[in-house]
mmCIF file of all heavy atoms in Angstrom:
data_model
loop_
_atom_site.group_PDB
_atom_site.id
_atom_site.type_symbol
_atom_site.label_atom_id
_atom_site.label_comp_id
_atom_site.label_asym_id
_atom_site.label_seq_id
_atom_site.Cartn_x
_atom_site.Cartn_y
_atom_site.Cartn_z
ATOM 1 N N PHE V 1 24.191 -74.551 -9.660
ATOM 2 C CA PHE V 1 23.185 -75.612 -9.533
ATOM 3 C C PHE V 1 22.086 -75.435 -10.589
ATOM 4 O O PHE V 1 20.905 -75.526 -10.275
ATOM 5 C CB PHE V 1 22.584 -75.653 -8.158
ATOM 6 C CG PHE V 1 23.524 -76.187 -7.066
ATOM 7 C CD1 PHE V 1 24.250 -75.327 -6.296
ATOM 8 C CD2 PHE V 1 23.687 -77.540 -6.907
ATOM 9 C CE1 PHE V 1 25.124 -75.798 -5.326
ATOM 10 C CE2 PHE V 1 24.548 -78.032 -5.937
ATOM 11 C CZ PHE V 1 25.267 -77.188 -5.146
ATOM 12 N N SER V 2 22.537 -75.243 -11.843
ATOM 13 C CA SER V 2 21.574 -75.000 -12.900
ATOM 14 C C SER V 2 20.768 -76.250 -13.245
ATOM 15 O O SER V 2 19.793 -76.159 -13.970
ATOM 16 C CB SER V 2 22.328 -74.482 -14.138
ATOM 17 O OG SER V 2 23.285 -75.411 -14.571
ATOM 18 N N ASN V 3 21.211 -77.406 -12.743
ATOM 19 C CA ASN V 3 20.483 -78.660 -13.018
ATOM 20 C C ASN V 3 19.327 -78.895 -12.084
ATOM 21 O O ASN V 3 18.471 -79.764 -12.347
ATOM 22 C CB ASN V 3 21.451 -79.838 -12.911
ATOM 23 C CG ASN V 3 22.101 -79.944 -11.511
ATOM 24 O OD1 ASN V 3 22.499 -78.910 -10.964
ATOM 25 N ND2 ASN V 3 22.160 -81.108 -10.957
ATOM 26 N N ILE V 4 19.192 -78.109 -10.986
ATOM 27 C CA ILE V 4 18.110 -78.237 -10.067
ATOM 28 C C ILE V 4 16.992 -77.264 -10.504
ATOM 29 O O ILE V 4 17.251 -76.046 -10.624
ATOM 30 C CB ILE V 4 18.560 -77.952 -8.643
ATOM 31 C CG1 ILE V 4 19.559 -78.968 -8.158
ATOM 32 C CG2 ILE V 4 17.365 -77.914 -7.677
ATOM 33 C CD1 ILE V 4 20.107 -78.702 -6.776
ATOM 34 N N GLU V 5 15.805 -77.760 -10.668
ATOM 35 C CA GLU V 5 14.693 -76.894 -11.128
ATOM 36 C C GLU V 5 13.820 -76.516 -9.926
ATOM 37 O O GLU V 5 13.472 -77.314 -9.102
ATOM 38 C CB GLU V 5 13.864 -77.576 -12.174
ATOM 39 C CG GLU V 5 12.829 -76.653 -12.813
ATOM 40 C CD GLU V 5 12.170 -77.261 -14.050
ATOM 41 O OE1 GLU V 5 12.622 -78.301 -14.517
ATOM 42 O OE2 GLU V 5 11.192 -76.678 -14.524
ATOM 43 N N VAL V 6 13.447 -75.212 -9.881
ATOM 44 C CA VAL V 6 12.512 -74.716 -8.897
ATOM 45 C C VAL V 6 11.415 -73.981 -9.655
ATOM 46 O O VAL V 6 11.578 -73.554 -10.772
ATOM 47 C CB VAL V 6 13.173 -73.791 -7.847
ATOM 48 C CG1 VAL V 6 14.204 -74.576 -7.046
ATOM 49 C CG2 VAL V 6 13.857 -72.595 -8.514
ATOM 50 N N THR V 7 10.303 -73.811 -8.974
ATOM 51 C CA THR V 7 9.151 -73.055 -9.559
ATOM 52 C C THR V 7 8.660 -72.047 -8.545
ATOM 53 O O THR V 7 8.814 -72.204 -7.327
ATOM 54 C CB THR V 7 7.968 -74.004 -9.899
ATOM 55 O OG1 THR V 7 7.494 -74.619 -8.708
ATOM 56 C CG2 THR V 7 8.441 -75.107 -10.874
ATOM 57 N N LEU V 8 8.074 -70.988 -9.044
ATOM 58 C CA LEU V 8 7.574 -69.922 -8.149
ATOM 59 C C LEU V 8 6.378 -70.425 -7.343
ATOM 60 O O LEU V 8 6.194 -70.045 -6.173
ATOM 61 C CB LEU V 8 7.208 -68.699 -8.947
ATOM 62 C CG LEU V 8 8.372 -68.004 -9.682
ATOM 63 C CD1 LEU V 8 7.866 -66.757 -10.417
ATOM 64 C CD2 LEU V 8 9.482 -67.627 -8.729
ATOM 65 N N LYS V 9 5.525 -71.276 -7.932
ATOM 66 C CA LYS V 9 4.325 -71.770 -7.247
ATOM 67 C C LYS V 9 4.664 -72.578 -5.993
ATOM 68 O O LYS V 9 3.965 -72.558 -5.023
ATOM 69 C CB LYS V 9 3.472 -72.550 -8.194
ATOM 70 C CG LYS V 9 2.763 -71.733 -9.245
ATOM 71 C CD LYS V 9 1.864 -72.591 -10.127
ATOM 72 C CE LYS V 9 1.130 -71.735 -11.162
ATOM 73 N NZ LYS V 9 0.256 -72.526 -12.011
ATOM 74 N N GLU V 10 5.758 -73.351 -6.083
ATOM 75 C CA GLU V 10 6.134 -74.201 -4.943
ATOM 76 C C GLU V 10 7.489 -73.762 -4.374
ATOM 77 O O GLU V 10 8.236 -74.576 -3.804
ATOM 78 C CB GLU V 10 6.236 -75.679 -5.411
ATOM 79 C CG GLU V 10 4.879 -76.219 -5.923
ATOM 80 C CD GLU V 10 4.957 -77.719 -6.177
ATOM 81 O OE1 GLU V 10 5.425 -78.441 -5.261
ATOM 82 O OE2 GLU V 10 4.551 -78.151 -7.258
ATOM 83 N N PHE V 11 7.753 -72.484 -4.487
ATOM 84 C CA PHE V 11 9.069 -72.000 -4.092
ATOM 85 C C PHE V 11 9.394 -72.240 -2.613
ATOM 86 O O PHE V 11 10.491 -72.698 -2.286
ATOM 87 C CB PHE V 11 9.183 -70.515 -4.423
ATOM 88 C CG PHE V 11 10.570 -69.935 -4.156
ATOM 89 C CD1 PHE V 11 11.546 -70.073 -5.128
ATOM 90 C CD2 PHE V 11 10.902 -69.361 -2.952
ATOM 91 C CE1 PHE V 11 12.837 -69.587 -4.890
ATOM 92 C CE2 PHE V 11 12.191 -68.897 -2.716
ATOM 93 C CZ PHE V 11 13.155 -68.998 -3.714
ATOM 94 N N ARG V 12 8.472 -71.947 -1.751
ATOM 95 C CA ARG V 12 8.738 -72.073 -0.314
ATOM 96 C C ARG V 12 9.139 -73.509 0.065
ATOM 97 O O ARG V 12 10.092 -73.785 0.765
ATOM 98 C CB ARG V 12 7.555 -71.622 0.476
ATOM 99 C CG ARG V 12 7.806 -71.400 1.975
ATOM 100 C CD ARG V 12 6.579 -70.885 2.667
ATOM 101 N NE ARG V 12 6.172 -69.615 2.180
ATOM 102 C CZ ARG V 12 6.650 -68.446 2.617
ATOM 103 N NH1 ARG V 12 7.568 -68.436 3.537
ATOM 104 N NH2 ARG V 12 6.206 -67.310 2.127
ATOM 105 N N ARG V 13 8.344 -74.479 -0.491
ATOM 106 C CA ARG V 13 8.630 -75.893 -0.206
ATOM 107 C C ARG V 13 9.972 -76.301 -0.804
ATOM 108 O O ARG V 13 10.769 -77.000 -0.145
ATOM 109 C CB ARG V 13 7.499 -76.748 -0.784
ATOM 110 C CG ARG V 13 7.744 -78.254 -0.528
ATOM 111 C CD ARG V 13 6.674 -79.107 -1.223
ATOM 112 N NE ARG V 13 6.742 -78.959 -2.692
ATOM 113 C CZ ARG V 13 7.606 -79.613 -3.450
ATOM 114 N NH1 ARG V 13 8.505 -80.457 -2.920
ATOM 115 N NH2 ARG V 13 7.580 -79.478 -4.749
ATOM 116 N N GLN V 14 10.246 -75.872 -2.034
ATOM 117 C CA GLN V 14 11.467 -76.289 -2.700
ATOM 118 C C GLN V 14 12.705 -75.626 -2.063
ATOM 119 O O GLN V 14 13.780 -76.229 -2.050
ATOM 120 C CB GLN V 14 11.376 -75.956 -4.182
ATOM 121 C CG GLN V 14 10.375 -76.836 -4.916
ATOM 122 C CD GLN V 14 10.023 -76.340 -6.327
ATOM 123 O OE1 GLN V 14 10.236 -75.181 -6.654
ATOM 124 N NE2 GLN V 14 9.552 -77.247 -7.161
ATOM 125 N N LYS V 15 12.534 -74.439 -1.563
ATOM 126 C CA LYS V 15 13.635 -73.804 -0.856
ATOM 127 C C LYS V 15 14.062 -74.650 0.343
ATOM 128 O O LYS V 15 15.250 -74.881 0.590
ATOM 129 C CB LYS V 15 13.241 -72.400 -0.376
ATOM 130 C CG LYS V 15 14.318 -71.693 0.398
ATOM 131 C CD LYS V 15 13.880 -70.295 0.832
ATOM 132 C CE LYS V 15 14.911 -69.637 1.709
ATOM 133 N NZ LYS V 15 14.495 -68.277 2.124
ATOM 134 N N LYS V 16 13.100 -75.156 1.099
ATOM 135 C CA LYS V 16 13.390 -76.008 2.244
ATOM 136 C C LYS V 16 14.003 -77.306 1.779
ATOM 137 O O LYS V 16 14.928 -77.852 2.382
ATOM 138 C CB LYS V 16 12.108 -76.277 3.059
ATOM 139 C CG LYS V 16 11.545 -75.074 3.769
ATOM 140 C CD LYS V 16 10.289 -75.457 4.539
ATOM 141 C CE LYS V 16 9.737 -74.249 5.282
ATOM 142 N NZ LYS V 16 8.453 -74.596 5.987
ATOM 143 N N GLN V 17 13.489 -77.830 0.642
ATOM 144 C CA GLN V 17 13.977 -79.094 0.106
ATOM 145 C C GLN V 17 15.453 -79.058 -0.260
ATOM 146 O O GLN V 17 16.171 -80.028 -0.039
ATOM 147 C CB GLN V 17 13.122 -79.469 -1.130
ATOM 148 C CG GLN V 17 13.578 -80.727 -1.855
ATOM 149 C CD GLN V 17 12.823 -80.923 -3.164
ATOM 150 O OE1 GLN V 17 11.764 -80.299 -3.397
ATOM 151 N NE2 GLN V 17 13.328 -81.777 -4.046
ATOM 152 N N HIS V 18 15.887 -77.929 -0.812
ATOM 153 C CA HIS V 18 17.284 -77.818 -1.310
ATOM 154 C C HIS V 18 18.220 -77.124 -0.341
ATOM 155 O O HIS V 18 19.399 -76.975 -0.649
ATOM 156 C CB HIS V 18 17.264 -77.085 -2.629
ATOM 157 C CG HIS V 18 16.457 -77.770 -3.694
ATOM 158 N ND1 HIS V 18 16.725 -79.043 -4.140
ATOM 159 C CD2 HIS V 18 15.421 -77.324 -4.424
ATOM 160 C CE1 HIS V 18 15.867 -79.396 -5.091
ATOM 161 N NE2 HIS V 18 15.054 -78.338 -5.263
ATOM 162 N N LYS V 19 17.727 -76.725 0.809
ATOM 163 C CA LYS V 19 18.540 -75.972 1.765
ATOM 164 C C LYS V 19 19.790 -76.733 2.196
ATOM 165 O O LYS V 19 20.885 -76.188 2.190
ATOM 166 C CB LYS V 19 17.732 -75.539 2.983
ATOM 167 C CG LYS V 19 18.531 -74.630 3.908
ATOM 168 C CD LYS V 19 17.668 -74.205 5.108
ATOM 169 C CE LYS V 19 18.390 -73.141 5.942
ATOM 170 N NZ LYS V 19 19.773 -73.472 6.318
ATOM 171 N N ALA V 20 19.641 -78.015 2.492
ATOM 172 C CA ALA V 20 20.789 -78.829 2.981
ATOM 173 C C ALA V 20 21.851 -78.891 1.887
ATOM 174 O O ALA V 20 23.030 -78.770 2.199
ATOM 175 C CB ALA V 20 20.308 -80.209 3.385
ATOM 176 N N CYS V 21 21.442 -79.065 0.654
ATOM 177 C CA CYS V 21 22.398 -79.146 -0.478
ATOM 178 C C CYS V 21 23.147 -77.855 -0.602
ATOM 179 O O CYS V 21 24.393 -77.809 -0.764
ATOM 180 C CB CYS V 21 21.672 -79.466 -1.763
ATOM 181 S SG CYS V 21 22.639 -79.428 -3.257
ATOM 182 N N LEU V 22 22.452 -76.714 -0.536
ATOM 183 C CA LEU V 22 23.086 -75.404 -0.701
ATOM 184 C C LEU V 22 23.980 -75.113 0.509
ATOM 185 O O LEU V 22 25.052 -74.520 0.359
ATOM 186 C CB LEU V 22 22.029 -74.315 -0.845
ATOM 187 C CG LEU V 22 21.179 -74.404 -2.079
ATOM 188 C CD1 LEU V 22 20.075 -73.392 -2.080
ATOM 189 C CD2 LEU V 22 22.041 -74.258 -3.347
ATOM 190 N N ASP V 23 23.576 -75.511 1.710
ATOM 191 C CA ASP V 23 24.403 -75.329 2.908
ATOM 192 C C ASP V 23 25.702 -76.123 2.785
ATOM 193 O O ASP V 23 26.771 -75.606 3.207
ATOM 194 C CB ASP V 23 23.632 -75.731 4.160
ATOM 195 C CG ASP V 23 22.569 -74.721 4.531
ATOM 196 O OD1 ASP V 23 22.590 -73.596 3.960
ATOM 197 O OD2 ASP V 23 21.718 -75.053 5.363
ATOM 198 N N ARG V 24 25.628 -77.349 2.299
ATOM 199 C CA ARG V 24 26.844 -78.171 2.148
ATOM 200 C C ARG V 24 27.812 -77.522 1.150
ATOM 201 O O ARG V 24 28.979 -77.479 1.350
ATOM 202 C CB ARG V 24 26.455 -79.574 1.651
ATOM 203 C CG ARG V 24 25.905 -80.509 2.739
ATOM 204 C CD ARG V 24 25.920 -81.963 2.332
ATOM 205 N NE ARG V 24 25.115 -82.153 1.101
ATOM 206 C CZ ARG V 24 23.818 -82.436 1.117
ATOM 207 N NH1 ARG V 24 23.184 -82.546 2.257
ATOM 208 N NH2 ARG V 24 23.178 -82.644 -0.025
ATOM 209 N N CYS V 25 27.240 -77.012 0.045
ATOM 210 C CA CYS V 25 28.048 -76.349 -0.969
ATOM 211 C C CYS V 25 28.750 -75.136 -0.351
ATOM 212 O O CYS V 25 29.934 -74.907 -0.553
ATOM 213 C CB CYS V 25 27.174 -75.926 -2.149
ATOM 214 S SG CYS V 25 28.034 -74.931 -3.394
ATOM 215 N N ASN V 26 27.989 -74.338 0.400
ATOM 216 C CA ASN V 26 28.555 -73.146 0.995
ATOM 217 C C ASN V 26 29.616 -73.459 2.034
ATOM 218 O O ASN V 26 30.584 -72.725 2.210
ATOM 219 C CB ASN V 26 27.424 -72.335 1.671
ATOM 220 C CG ASN V 26 27.889 -70.961 2.136
ATOM 221 O OD1 ASN V 26 28.554 -70.229 1.376
ATOM 222 N ND2 ASN V 26 27.553 -70.636 3.357
ATOM 223 N N ALA V 27 29.479 -74.576 2.721
ATOM 224 C CA ALA V 27 30.482 -74.990 3.729
ATOM 225 C C ALA V 27 31.731 -75.598 3.109
ATOM 226 O O ALA V 27 32.830 -75.350 3.546
ATOM 227 C CB ALA V 27 29.842 -75.935 4.712
ATOM 228 N N SER V 28 31.546 -76.403 2.048
ATOM 229 C CA SER V 28 32.674 -77.141 1.486
ATOM 230 C C SER V 28 33.336 -76.453 0.314
ATOM 231 O O SER V 28 34.550 -76.472 0.191
ATOM 232 C CB SER V 28 32.228 -78.537 1.061
ATOM 233 O OG SER V 28 31.173 -78.424 0.047
ATOM 234 N N THR V 29 32.539 -75.807 -0.537
ATOM 235 C CA THR V 29 33.126 -75.113 -1.720
ATOM 236 C C THR V 29 32.456 -73.720 -1.877
ATOM 237 O O THR V 29 31.773 -73.497 -2.857
ATOM 238 C CB THR V 29 32.900 -75.924 -3.016
ATOM 239 O OG1 THR V 29 31.517 -76.220 -3.156
ATOM 240 C CG2 THR V 29 33.694 -77.204 -2.991
ATOM 241 N N PRO V 30 32.637 -72.859 -0.891
ATOM 242 C CA PRO V 30 31.985 -71.546 -0.984
ATOM 243 C C PRO V 30 32.476 -70.742 -2.203
ATOM 244 O O PRO V 30 33.665 -70.837 -2.591
ATOM 245 C CB PRO V 30 32.380 -70.851 0.311
ATOM 246 C CG PRO V 30 33.647 -71.506 0.713
ATOM 247 C CD PRO V 30 33.524 -72.937 0.279
ATOM 248 N N CYS V 31 31.610 -69.961 -2.790
ATOM 249 C CA CYS V 31 32.025 -69.131 -3.906
ATOM 250 C C CYS V 31 31.742 -67.680 -3.581
ATOM 251 O O CYS V 31 31.177 -67.372 -2.543
ATOM 252 C CB CYS V 31 31.259 -69.539 -5.193
ATOM 253 S SG CYS V 31 29.493 -69.122 -5.121
#
């Protein structure tokens, strides 16, 4: 997911924001 940008200053919020996307990836195409 190199196209998704995160920052250290807003890391906690962005982690929650992208959690559903990462969970779907892990469930459907785990690596």
Side-chain angles (χ1 to χ4, degrees):
F1 287 97
S2 59
N3 59 316
I4 296 177
E5 187 170 351
V6 297
T7 64
L8 296 182
K9 287 183 179 180
E10 298 188 49
F11 185 83
R12 193 178 297 274
R13 179 186 64 80
Q14 291 168 338
K15 178 180 176 180
K16 291 180 180 178
Q17 175 187 345
H18 299 303
K19 186 178 189 307
C21 173
L22 296 174
D23 286 347
R24 283 195 301 271
C25 174
N26 189 48
S28 59
T29 55
C31 70

